[in-house]
Amino acid sequence: KNQVEQSPQSLIILEGKNCTLQCNYTVSPFSNLRWYKQDTGRGPVSLTIMTFSENTKSNGRYTATLDADTKQSSLHITASQLSDSASYICVVSANGGSYIPTFGRGTSLIVHP
Amino acid sequence: GAVVSQHPSRVICKSGTSVKIECRSLDFQATTMFWYRQFPKKSLMLMATSNEGSKATYEQGVEKDKFLINHASLTLSTLTVTSAHPEDSSFYICSATAGSGNTIYFGEGSWLTVV
């Protein structure tokens, strides 16, 4: 069964600090992994998308890594800002004709001033 | 700018009535659209997957007769909540993709309140 596990479930950090969110998956055969940011009451917004051959990708202060061998990904947020407070969702898609992605439950990040 | 438009963003309806939510891809042809439901502080829950021109595939536990999904064109999918009850009140989100390997774009979501 395809699964995506995210940790921690929630995280509170001070403004300006860095943090790292984790995503482990069992989706196979692997196609791509996406990180989304979802503000409360809004639709998720794509941060990064990574394929099998990519092991790091940055989008501003967000840097995603992918280890396809261990089936792990991380999202590193540098110099956090109050506006980073949101849910971060890891989504993994499989190859083979199915477009249905597997969603993680998300990590709720709160940045305090 | 937004590439998936969802409408309405907020709707209040009376118990027993039906309400339709639209999801449009603005600048690409969405071969597949997804509908989700999200309760406060909970993760997205996939309700159904729809491919243009074919019947939607519903996830286990989702009533297909209650949540009618139509994907009549490559740019429009609709979710109709029939005979709405207060427990149907939730945040409904759609997403669309041009195909496997492509980015999945999300709509802004629709808040449904059934009174």
Side-chain angles (χ1 to χ4, degrees):
Chain A
K1 180 181 178 182
N2 291 335
Q3 287 185 313
V4 175
E5 299 288 340
Q6 288 189 245
S7 62
Q9 185 176 4
S10 61
L11 181 63
I12 301 174
I13 61 174
L14 293 176
E15 185 180 12
K17 298 296 184 181
N18 305 333
C19 66
T20 300
L21 314 180
Q22 299 290 342
C23 174
N24 298 338
Y25 62 92
T26 59
V27 177
S28 182
F30 176 82
S31 175
N32 59 70
L33 183 147
R34 305 174 176 93
W35 282 95
Y36 287 88
K37 176 187 178 186
Q38 184 183 20
D39 293 308
T40 300
R42 306 291 296 274
V45 174
S46 179
L47 295 176
T48 62
I49 177 171
M50 302 177 72
T51 58
F52 185 87
S53 59
E54 299 173 297
N55 52 29
T56 186
K57 182 167 283 189
S58 292
N59 178 358
R61 294 180 295 103
Y62 301 103
T63 300
T65 65
L66 174 65
D67 186 332
D69 292 331
T70 61
K71 298 185 177 181
Q72 296 179 327
S73 176
S74 66
L75 180 68
H76 186 75
I77 304 175
T78 305
S80 61
Q81 300 176 358
L82 298 179
S83 58
D84 292 331
S85 297
S87 289
Y88 292 84
I89 305 169
C90 176
V91 183
V92 184
S93 295
N95 263 327
S98 171
Y99 299 160
I100 300 176
T102 303
F103 283 75
R105 290 185 175 273
T107 293
S108 176
L109 173 66
I110 298 174
V111 180
H112 277 172
Chain B
V3 295
V4 174
S5 173
Q6 206 170 323
H7 177 80
S9 58
R10 292 182 179 272
V11 58
I12 300 173
C13 70
K14 292 184 178 180
S15 288
T17 62
S18 296
V19 60
K20 180 184 290 186
I21 301 171
E22 293 186 347
C23 179
R24 294 180 183 273
S25 58
L26 299 182
D27 54 6
F28 68 99
Q29 293 186 327
T31 53
T32 306
M33 286 186 168
F34 305 92
W35 286 95
Y36 312 83
R37 186 173 181 177
Q38 187 175 35
F39 292 105
K41 299 184 179 181
K42 299 294 184 181
S43 61
L44 295 170
M45 183 187 78
L46 180 65
M47 298 175 67
T49 302
S50 72
N51 293 299
E52 184 268 338
S54 61
K55 289 183 178 181
T57 301
Y58 290 80
E59 294 299 300
Q60 191 173 9
V62 179
E63 300 175 59
K64 60 181 66 176
D65 293 330
K66 180 168 185 60
F67 299 99
L68 301 179
I69 292 172
N70 183 279
H71 192 166
S73 76
L74 284 171
T75 59
L76 174 64
S77 176
T78 60
L79 167 68
T80 301
V81 181
T82 63
S83 187
H85 290 147
E87 55 263 33
D88 297 327
S89 300
S90 185
F91 189 53
Y92 293 88
I93 307 176
C94 72
S95 69
T97 179
S100 180
N102 286 282
T103 297
I104 300 173
Y105 295 97
F106 285 84
E108 282 295 300
S110 299
W111 286 100
L112 170 63
T113 302
V114 183
V115 297

